[in-house]
Amino acid sequence: MSGVQARLMIAVMVAIILAGVVHIAVGGDNVVKFITSPFASDPYWGVPKGGIVIVVGTRPEVIKVAPVVRRLKELQVQVTLVNTNQQQIMTMQALQRFNLDAVHLPSIPASVFAEGPAGIAAHILDSTNTMLQRLLPKIIVVQGDTTTAMVSAMAGFYNNVSVAHVEAGLRTGDFQNPFPEEFHRRVVAIPASMNFAPTPRSRKALLRENVSYKKIWMTGNTVVDNLFDSLKKPVPAAATALLARIEAAHPGGRMVLVTMHRRESFEQHMEDMCDGVLKVLERVPDAVVLLPVHTNPRVQATIKAKFPGNNKRLVISGPLEADIFPFILKEAKLVMTDSGGVQEEGVSLGKAIMVMREATERPEGVEVGNAVVAGRDKHKIEKLAVEILTDKAVFDRMSQTHFPYGHGNSSIVICDVMIAHMNGVESKYKPEWAPPNEPVVGHQ
C-alpha cells in the first residue's frame, strides 16, 4: 500500500468514525470487528448551541409546534426540536409525518412509567436539565399542558433560560379536571416570560392570576395553523382507504368519530363512555362509529373488553396519523371526544362536538354553539348524541363553522415575538394593554 493510499484510508476511517459506527474487516480470516465512535451515543453531538429550543414529548405537542418550527426555519432562525419521549411511539410517528428532525432524550423506562406522573416528571426534568446545559438556548418553548411542558418550563427557569408558552391560559378552575393538566398549565405560567394565549378568555385567565399583560400575546391556536396547512395537501392514501372502510361498514351512513384517552377517564368512566357509544349505535340505525384506539394499555384493555367486534357499524382502528386525522375529521358528522385539541379542530371545521369530560378548558366551542359538555355519564352521553343525530334543528345549529381559535396565522405572531425577544427589541405585535381592574369573565 502506498503512502497516499494509507493516508486516504485513514482519512476515510476517521470520517466514518466521527459519523457514528464503522465496521472494519481485519486480515484474511474474515473476522469483523466493530468500533463504536464515542460520539454515536451523544444526542448533542453536532447540534448548534444557542437559539431557540422547542421541547415536545407527545403527539399533540408535535402537531401544535410544527407550524412554529416551519416558520422559524423559513426565517432562518436557529431552532432545535427536542423530544423527551413521553409518548415514544406516537411522538416519533408524528415527527416523521411532519418531516421534523429532533434531538431525542433518553427513553423513559417502563419502571418509571409505572411510578405514574411524579416518576415521569422526575425523569424528564433530569434529561431536560442536561439538555439545556449542553445546548445553552436563549429561549425554551413549551406547548400546552403535558408533563413535558411543565418540567421543561421548570428546567428553563432553573437554568435562566427565557420560557415561551404556546397555548397559555387555558383553565377549568378544577385541578382534577383535567388531571394533572390543569396544574401543569398553572405551573408553566409562573416562569413564562412569553405567554401565547389563543383566545380572549385564556388571556383574561392569565391576568386573573397576576401575570403581567406585558407578558401576554393573544395569538389564536397553532392547531388551526396545522389543520389548514394539512388540508391544503392531497388526501393521503391511508385516509382514502379508511373512509372507504367506513362507507363499506354501512353505505350512506353518517360517521361518528369517537376518541377517548384521558387519565381521568380510565377504567369505570371509560366503560360508561363506551356504553353510551353502544347505545348510540343501537338507537341511530345509520350511525357508523370510527374509534381510533390510543396506544395506552389501559385504554386498549377497556376498548377490547367493551367492544368484542360483533357490530359491523363500529370501525376500530389504531391511532390516526397526524396527517390523516384532519381528512377524517372533515367527514365526521358528530365528534364524541375527551380530547382537547380535537375540540379546537372540530369547531374550526364546523363540526358538532360532544365533550365527554366533566369540564373543558376550551369553553369557546360551547359558547359559539358547536360543542356541548356531556360529562362521562352513559345516559347523558346517549341522550345528547341521539338528539344531535336525530333532531335536524339541533344538528344544524351545532354544525356551523366558527373561528374562536384563530384563522391559521398564530405561528406568525409567535415567531415574531420570540425573535424580537432574542434580539432585545420590541415585536411589532404588542401585548394588548390591560387596565388594572379589567373584569374577568368565566372560570370563576
Side-chain angles (χ1 to χ4, degrees):
M1 180 183 295
S2 69
V4 173
Q5 289 174 320
R7 287 193 294 272
L8 179 59
M9 180 175 289
I10 292 172
V12 171
M13 289 174 60
V14 170
I16 297 175
I17 290 173
L18 291 178
V21 177
V22 60
H23 295 201
I24 303 177
V26 181
D29 57 1
N30 296 321
V31 175
V32 178
K33 296 183 178 180
F34 300 90
I35 300 177
T36 303
S37 164
F39 309 113
S41 60
D42 184 356
Y44 310 109
W45 172 251
V47 180
K49 294 183 179 180
I52 297 175
V53 161
I54 300 179
V55 185
V56 298
T58 66
R59 183 173 69 170
E61 288 169 302
V62 176
I63 293 170
K64 293 186 175 185
V65 304
V68 177
V69 175
R70 287 195 295 264
R71 177 69 179 171
L72 289 171
K73 288 185 175 180
E74 288 171 1
L75 297 172
Q76 298 184 331
V77 176
Q78 181 182 312
V79 55
T80 302
L81 189 61
V82 174
N83 171 27
T84 68
N85 280 303
Q86 183 177 334
Q87 287 179 350
Q88 187 170 7
I89 296 174
M90 297 177 70
T91 304
M92 289 294 293
Q93 290 173 340
L95 290 168
Q96 291 169 2
R97 290 289 178 170
F98 290 117
N99 295 315
L100 296 174
D101 295 323
V103 173
H104 300 284
L105 301 187
S107 299
I108 304 174
S111 58
V112 173
F113 274 113
E115 296 175 16
I120 297 169
H123 178 95
I124 296 176
L125 179 60
D126 181 63
S127 59
T128 305
N129 182 64
T130 300
M131 176 272 295
L132 291 176
Q133 292 174 355
R134 292 290 300 275
L135 297 185
L136 303 175
K138 294 183 178 179
I139 297 174
I140 181 171
V141 181
V142 301
Q143 192 286 323
D145 56 17
T146 65
T147 303
T148 288
M150 179 188 72
V151 298
S152 296
M154 292 171 59
F157 172 77
Y158 289 142
N159 288 277
N160 288 313
V161 177
S162 297
V163 176
H165 187 196
V166 175
E167 198 182 79
L170 277 64
R171 301 287 187 272
T172 64
D174 180 357
F175 280 136
Q176 296 301 312
N177 289 289
F179 175 88
E181 289 82 4
E182 176 78 5
F183 176 77
H184 291 170
R185 289 185 183 275
R186 300 279 189 102
V187 172
V188 176
I190 297 171
S193 53
M194 289 162 278
N195 292 274
F196 299 120
T199 67
R201 181 182 285 273
S202 53
R203 173 180 174 272
K204 289 182 178 180
L206 291 166
L207 292 172
R208 186 181 67 243
E209 295 169 12
N210 295 318
V211 176
S212 169
Y213 80 90
K214 296 179 181 180
K215 297 180 178 180
I216 306 171
W217 286 262
M218 198 166 65
T219 62
N221 199 302
T222 55
V223 75
V224 182
D225 298 32
N226 193 70
L227 176 69
F228 292 161
D229 286 346
S230 296
L231 290 174
K232 292 175 184 176
K233 300 174 182 177
V235 182
T240 301
L242 182 55
L243 291 171
R245 183 181 166 196
I246 295 166
E247 174 65 15
H250 187 79
R254 291 181 292 169
M255 192 226 297
V256 178
L257 176 60
V258 178
T259 72
M260 54 181 86
H261 73 281
R262 301 197 75 86
R263 181 180 296 273
E264 67 267 23
S265 299
F266 286 169
E267 275 77 52
Q268 186 59 54
H269 287 312
M270 190 166 289
E271 291 178 13
D272 289 344
M273 292 155 66
C274 292
D275 287 338
V277 171
L278 287 171
K279 279 294 186 179
V280 173
L281 282 170
E282 180 182 316
R283 295 186 57 189
V284 184
D286 68 336
V288 180
V289 168
L290 171 62
L291 176 55
V293 183
H294 197 276
T295 57
N296 188 294
R298 295 170 73 179
V299 175
Q300 293 182 341
T302 300
I303 299 300
K304 183 177 180 179
K306 298 300 293 186
F307 299 121
N310 55 4
N311 193 318
K312 294 182 179 180
R313 290 187 290 120
L314 174 62
V315 178
I316 295 179
S317 75
L320 299 184
E321 298 288 1
D323 60 335
I324 294 172
F325 184 81
F327 294 94
I328 304 301
L329 176 62
K330 185 179 178 182
E331 301 303 321
K333 300 303 181 184
L334 170 64
V335 181
M336 302 171 65
T337 185
D338 65 358
S339 170
V342 175
Q343 297 175 52
E344 297 153 343
E345 293 169 305
V347 170
S348 302
L349 291 179
K351 300 301 172 182
I353 304 165
M354 174 185 294
V355 183
M356 295 188 293
R357 292 163 58 174
E358 297 304 318
T360 177
E361 68 274 57
R362 296 165 172 88
E364 294 86 358
V366 178
E367 292 166 352
V368 298
N370 288 90
V372 59
V373 178
R376 296 182 290 257
D377 178 79
K378 57 186 176 183
H379 301 294
K380 189 173 182 181
I381 289 172
E382 173 193 352
K383 177 179 181 297
L384 289 174
V386 170
E387 180 183 22
I388 294 168
L389 291 170
T390 59
D391 188 323
K392 186 177 185 301
V394 173
F395 178 81
D396 289 346
R397 185 180 70 247
M398 295 182 67
S399 301
Q400 303 298 312
T401 302
H402 299 279
F403 300 99
Y405 305 110
H407 293 268
N409 57 1
S410 306
S411 56
I412 295 175
V413 179
I414 290 170
C415 291
D416 192 89
V417 171
M418 292 195 299
I419 293 169
H421 182 90
M422 281 202 304
N423 294 331
V425 298
E426 288 190 4
S427 167
K428 63 182 177 182
Y429 299 101
K430 309 297 182 186
E432 183 180 344
W433 181 74
N437 297 317
E438 177 177 1
V440 178
V441 297
H443 298 309
Q444 299 297 321

